[in-house]
């Protein structure tokens, strides 16, 4: 209990993330991706592509909701737009990775993961392997016997074979409750930045030196109300998020994180 109170106190005193720009985007419902020239706003079965400089919409992909019922997030990884997809709120939970050409927004291929340890909500790549966040819920979309405490980070190889997995610390799970992790991305500082479903916060974590529970390093307040996030790799400490209520993409400058 004492450690949880200390973490929450640190979160309350942390410097807020500065909003440097807003992009109106009707598709800003699940998350956002970004590359050097464009911003990609993600809805359940739609991706809107926007010019990063002007904010003008320059492209759109619309999928069949029966085939793509719930795109949770996307990330520009190399030359591809890689999206985490699930059958939420249906159960049993099934997940897939949907890959697009970011230039044309043409759908290229599907990696069908099927039933996993939860519902796939985000994917990133680091150190030559895949990292994926799997959500579990207390209510709608959850499965009997598993709640938000079963939210899991899984490390996969290039053939999507499970290599390792970690759970989240109680201090972060308490903020997820009753939902789960909606977004995640590795920062240039080697730390993992994770968001929940609703709270305007980013949870900064790192892999433990022992055991299978991630370490909670810091909590950063932000303007985005949870949901999926993306780092702009062309500049330092610039995080993209969304406001579901306003249907906007938010560009936020993160404060530095002190790591002991």
């Amino acid at each position: 209990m004492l450690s949880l109170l200390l973490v929450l106190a640190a979160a309350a005193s942390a410097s807020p993330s500065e909003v440097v720009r807003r992009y109106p985007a009707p598709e800003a419902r699940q998350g956002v991706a970004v590359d050097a020239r464009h911003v990609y706003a993600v809805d359940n079965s739609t991706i809107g592509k926007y010019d990063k400089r002007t904010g003008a919409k320059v492209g759109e992909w619309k999928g069949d909701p029966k085939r793509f019922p719930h795109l949770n997030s996307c990330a520009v990884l190399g030359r591809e737009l890689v999206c985490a997809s699930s059958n939420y709120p249906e159960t049993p939970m099934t997940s897939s990775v949907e890959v697009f050409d970011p230039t044309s927004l043409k759908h290229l291929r599907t990696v069908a993961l099927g039933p996993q340890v939860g519902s796939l909500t985000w994917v990133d790549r680091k150190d030559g392997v895949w990292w994926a966040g799997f959500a579990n819920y207390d209510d709608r979309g959850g499965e009997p016997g598993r709640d938000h405490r079963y939210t899991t980070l899984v490390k996969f190889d290039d053939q999507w074979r499970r290599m390792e997995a970690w759970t989240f610390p109680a201090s972060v799970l308490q903020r997820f409750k009753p939902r789960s992790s909606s977004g995640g991305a590795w920062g240039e500082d080697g730390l993992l930045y994770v968001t929940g479903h609703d709270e305007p916060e980013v949870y900064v974590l790192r892999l433990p030196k022992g055991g299978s529970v991630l370490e909670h390093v810091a909590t950063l307040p932000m303007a985005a109300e949870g949901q999926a996030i993306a780092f702009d790799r062309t500049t330092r400490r610039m995080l993209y998020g969304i406001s579901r209520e306003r249907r906007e993409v938010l560009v936020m400058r993160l404060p530095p994180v002190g790591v002991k």
Side-chain angles (χ1 to χ4, degrees), residues 129-155:
V129 295
W130 295 100
W131 303 81
F134 288 92
N136 284 276
Y137 309 104
D138 293 7
D139 43 31
R140 184 170 184 256
E143 291 185 354
R146 292 191 299 189
D147 59 18
H148 69 280
R149 296 172 298 173
Y150 285 75
T151 301
T152 306
L153 169 69
V154 180
K155 177 181 175 182

Side-chain angles (χ1 to χ4, degrees), residues 32-33 71-77 80-86 95-99 111 113 119-126 129-135 152-157 160 181-186 192-194 228-231 233:
V32 60
L71 291 180
N72 289 293
S73 68
C74 296
V76 180
L77 302 174
E80 296 181 325
L81 182 65
V82 181
C83 301
S85 182
S86 71
S95 300
S96 65
V97 178
E98 306 295 342
V99 183
V111 180
L113 300 179
S119 181
L120 180 66
T121 52
W122 57 266
V123 173
D124 201 1
R125 191 159 175 86
K126 177 178 176 289
V129 295
W130 295 100
W131 303 81
F134 288 92
T152 306
L153 169 69
V154 180
K155 177 181 175 182
F156 292 96
D157 67 13
W160 291 97
S181 172
S182 292
W186 286 100
L192 180 63
Y193 290 73
V194 172
I229 54 174
F231 277 107
R233 305 298 181 183

Side-chain angles (χ1 to χ4, degrees), residues 31-222:
V32 60
V34 59
D35 59 23
R37 296 182 57 190
H38 297 99
V39 176
Y40 306 83
V42 183
D43 200 345
N44 289 325
S45 307
T46 308
I47 301 172
K49 181 177 179 179
Y50 293 83
D51 185 279
K52 196 175 180 181
R53 182 178 60 85
T54 65
K57 189 171 184 177
V58 296
E60 181 181 76
W61 172 85
K62 280 187 174 292
D64 180 355
K66 293 181 179 179
R67 183 181 176 191
F68 305 96
H70 201 76
L71 291 180
N72 289 293
S73 68
C74 296
V76 180
L77 302 174
R79 297 183 179 181
E80 296 181 325
L81 182 65
V82 181
C83 301
S85 182
S86 71
N87 67 336
Y88 177 88
E90 301 297 323
T91 56
M93 298 178 182
T94 60
S95 300
S96 65
V97 178
E98 306 295 342
V99 183
F100 299 82
D101 177 349
T103 301
S104 64
L105 291 186
K106 178 183 177 181
H107 181 257
L108 300 177
R109 64 184 181 278
T110 295
V111 180
L113 300 179
Q116 293 285 327
V117 293
S119 181
L120 180 66
T121 52
W122 57 266
V123 173
D124 201 1
R125 191 159 175 86
K126 177 178 176 289
D127 299 332
V129 295
W130 295 100
W131 303 81
F134 288 92
N136 284 276
Y137 309 104
D138 293 7
D139 43 31
R140 184 170 184 256
E143 291 185 354
R146 292 191 299 189
D147 59 18
H148 69 280
R149 296 172 298 173
Y150 285 75
T151 301
T152 306
L153 169 69
V154 180
K155 177 181 175 182
F156 292 96
D157 67 13
D158 277 337
Q159 286 70 49
W160 291 97
R161 295 174 297 203
R162 177 168 162 158
M163 299 172 68
E164 295 182 272
W166 297 263
T167 58
F168 287 76
S171 55
V172 175
L173 291 172
Q174 181 62 31
R175 306 299 286 170
F176 285 166
K177 185 180 180 179
R179 309 305 289 161
S180 191
S181 172
S182 292
W186 286 100
E188 61 187 14
D189 53 9
L191 298 173
L192 180 63
Y193 290 73
V194 172
T195 47
H197 191 270
D198 302 296
E199 296 293 337
E201 301 170 337
V202 182
Y203 310 107
V204 187
L205 303 116
R206 62 184 169 194
L207 300 179
K209 294 181 179 179
S212 59
V213 181
L214 296 168
E215 295 181 5
H216 188 184
V217 175
T219 298
L220 304 179
M222 68 172 182

